[in-house]
Amino acid sequence: LAVSRPQTSPEDLKALMGNVNRLNESFRDMQVKLLHLPLKGDMLDHIWRLQDLLQNHSDSLFLMTGSLQKLEGLLWSLQTQASQTDKAVSNLWDSLTQQSDAAQQEMYKLSVEGNSSRLLLQHHDHLLSHLGSRVESLSDQVMAVNGAMDTMNRTFSYDVNIHHTRIQDLQVLISNATEDARQMRLIHIAMEEQLKHELAILNNVTEDLRLKDWEHSIALKNISMIRGPPGPKGDQGNEGMEGEPGLPGLPGLRGLPGERGPPGPRGLKGDQGDLGPPGPVGMRGFKGDRGPKGEKGDRGGGGTAAAEEGMIRLVNGSGSHEGRVEVFYDRRWGTVCDDGWDKKDGDVVCRMLGFRGAEEVYRMARFGQGTGRIWMDDVSCKGTEESLLRCSFSSWGKTNCGHAEDAGVKCLTP
């Protein structure tokens, strides 16, 4: 911001100095003349000369008054421009401070996002390597299963071929046995017919023999004694002894399979089963694309911008992973006292910044002494809190420490 300053004219300064010098000389001459006035002389001439000198002095005073008024106006203009310049410089300084805070906050957010992205990429690399090993293991298992399936297919094909050959042989044997059984049945029928015929002949012979035996017995009775005519036929005699069982007959041929019956009615729907155990948790999804830029908001009032209360930053370290711990509260950054400061507190701070945890914690202003307020003292975390504000500590700004006891931390890096 360039500011033009009024320049005093050299001619005006020279004229002013000349007038002042002439006025001094006139006074000096007047003093000398007054000292050397004759005691006796023309007083009127001296009075007129004195009047002329006073007139000259009054003219010089008027000129000097005008020059002084011009100089006063120039001084007022210079003072006004200087005040405007101070205001402009003050506004510029406030603007630079706000932009610095905003840039620092953006750098802080970018650092946190970078650390989170780096951890996420490492997690994804680990998952991909684990998935690759699982895929290789599954590929080996699939190859082994394919080999086993090929072996089973070959064995099954061989067994099927053997069974098919055996079935064909059995079909030939069954057809041969069926033909032999048919021929034996025909022979058996012929033998049954022959036996029936022979039994009929045997019955006839037996009847003839019985008649002849009866006639012979009658003849013998007539010879021995004369008796009356023969009586009626006697009762049937007792049944003879059971003969031995015949040979078992050949088994009949297997009947053809019957037709398939109609399908039965559909059964009732069963009761609903119990819920199965929950499945394993899936892998974490990838980070989504960045959303579109929002509309420009209304301009806010004056004051510091950017940071939110409770935010953490590390200062004066060799990188974003270490430094003096500072917390933003009441629109100002302040430090943390090292009273009770331990690794659990450092773990919470590092996780807030996107790291896995704290590698080491420091006391006694290891990263230099801070300035301003000491916001937190007697911090005591359990190590599982999401923010340092969740930990117990003395109230904001209440402390008995100096900046020589500022706490620091070094976070774990990949």
Side-chain angles (χ1 to χ4, degrees):
L1 179 62
V3 180
S4 61
R5 294 172 179 255
Q7 300 293 332
T8 305
S9 176
E11 290 78 6
D12 294 340
L13 292 175
K14 189 180 293 183
L16 179 62
M17 293 301 295
N19 292 330
V20 171
N21 291 330
R22 283 195 301 273
L23 181 62
N24 291 331
E25 291 176 358
S26 299
F27 274 112
R28 196 179 300 112
D29 293 339
M30 185 176 67
Q31 289 175 357
V32 172
K33 288 178 182 180
L34 287 175
L35 291 174
H36 295 86
L37 284 176
L39 298 175
K40 296 178 180 180
D42 192 356
M43 294 295 294
L44 184 60
D45 291 336
H46 292 294
I47 290 172
W48 281 110
R49 290 177 182 177
L50 183 59
Q51 185 177 0
D52 292 335
L53 290 174
L54 291 175
Q55 184 67 34
N56 293 331
H57 286 307
S58 66
D59 293 338
S60 298
L61 287 174
F62 277 120
L63 292 174
M64 188 173 65
T65 302
S67 298
L68 289 174
Q69 288 177 354
K70 290 181 180 181
L71 182 59
E72 185 179 3
L74 292 174
L75 289 175
W76 276 107
S77 176
L78 180 62
Q79 186 177 3
T80 303
Q81 293 182 3
S83 63
Q84 293 178 355
T85 302
D86 292 337
K87 289 182 179 179
V89 170
S90 177
N91 293 331
L92 180 60
W93 180 257
D94 293 339
S95 177
L96 289 175
T97 303
Q98 293 177 1
Q99 292 179 3
S100 175
D101 291 341
Q104 190 174 8
Q105 185 61 28
E106 289 296 327
M107 289 295 294
Y108 168 77
K109 290 182 179 179
L110 288 175
S111 175
V112 173
E113 290 180 358
N115 293 330
S116 300
S117 300
R118 184 166 58 253
L119 291 176
L120 184 60
L121 286 175
Q122 291 177 355
H123 181 64
H124 287 169
D125 290 338
H126 178 69
L127 289 179
L128 287 175
S129 61
H130 181 65
L131 183 60
S133 62
R134 290 290 301 276
V135 168
E136 291 178 358
S137 176
L138 288 176
S139 177
D140 295 338
Q141 292 179 4
V142 168
M143 292 178 65
V145 170
N146 288 331
M149 289 295 294
D150 293 337
T151 304
M152 289 178 64
N153 287 332
R154 288 193 295 270
T155 304
F156 185 71
S157 300
Y158 177 74
D159 293 341
V160 167
N161 292 329
I162 291 176
H163 286 297
H164 182 68
T165 303
R166 290 179 179 178
I167 288 172
Q168 289 179 350
D169 295 338
L170 287 175
Q171 287 178 350
V172 172
L173 291 175
I174 289 173
S175 62
N176 294 333
T178 303
E179 185 66 23
D180 294 340
R182 187 179 298 110
Q183 292 177 2
M184 290 182 68
R185 181 178 285 275
L186 294 175
I187 293 172
H188 183 69
I189 292 172
M191 290 178 67
E192 283 182 352
E193 293 293 333
Q194 186 177 0
L195 286 174
K196 287 180 180 178
H197 180 68
E198 289 179 355
L199 285 175
I201 295 172
L202 183 59
N203 288 330
N204 293 329
V205 171
T206 303
E207 187 65 24
D208 292 339
L209 288 174
R210 189 172 58 237
L211 289 175
K212 288 180 178 181
D213 184 48
W214 179 74
E215 290 177 354
H216 181 67
S217 63
I218 291 300
L220 289 175
K221 288 179 179 181
N222 290 329
I223 293 173
S224 61
M225 66 179 69
I226 298 174
R227 291 186 181 182
K233 187 178 180 178
D235 297 332
Q236 185 177 357
N238 296 327
E239 184 177 358
M241 297 177 62
E242 183 178 1
E244 295 180 358
L247 297 175
L250 296 174
L253 297 177
R254 185 175 182 180
L256 297 175
E259 296 181 359
R260 186 173 183 178
R266 186 173 181 179
L268 298 176
K269 184 177 180 180
D271 298 333
Q272 185 175 1
D274 298 332
L275 293 176
V281 179
M283 294 188 299
R284 184 177 180 181
F286 295 101
K287 186 176 181 181
D289 298 331
R290 187 170 183 176
K293 185 177 181 180
E295 298 180 358
K296 186 175 181 181
D298 298 333
R299 182 166 182 171
T304 58
E308 300 176 357
E309 289 193 356
M311 296 189 69
I312 296 293
R313 69 179 182 183
L314 300 180
V315 183
N316 285 350
S318 61
S320 60
H321 66 287
E322 66 175 4
R324 182 177 62 250
V325 179
E326 292 190 356
V327 60
F328 190 80
Y329 178 74
D330 194 18
R331 298 181 295 176
R332 285 181 293 177
W333 289 98
T335 61
V336 178
C337 180
D338 63 3
D339 290 346
W341 186 252
D342 57 13
K343 190 176 183 300
K344 294 179 181 179
D345 308 326
D347 288 336
V348 175
V349 171
C350 291
R351 284 201 302 272
M352 288 181 66
L353 298 176
F355 296 97
R356 289 182 292 128
E359 180 178 354
E360 192 171 357
V361 293
Y362 301 99
R363 299 182 179 182
M364 304 303 293
R366 172 67 178 273
F367 298 98
Q369 297 184 15
T371 58
R373 299 291 299 275
I374 300 176
W375 283 127
M376 303 179 74
D377 190 5
D378 297 326
V379 179
S380 177
C381 298
K382 297 178 181 177
T384 58
E385 292 84 356
E386 297 178 356
S387 172
L388 196 64
L389 274 64
R390 302 281 185 181
C391 304
S392 63
F393 65 98
S394 60
S395 59
W396 291 103
K398 183 179 180 181
T399 180
N400 57 356
C401 300
H403 283 294
E405 301 175 78
D406 287 341
V409 69
K410 180 179 181 181
C411 298
L412 290 170
T413 54

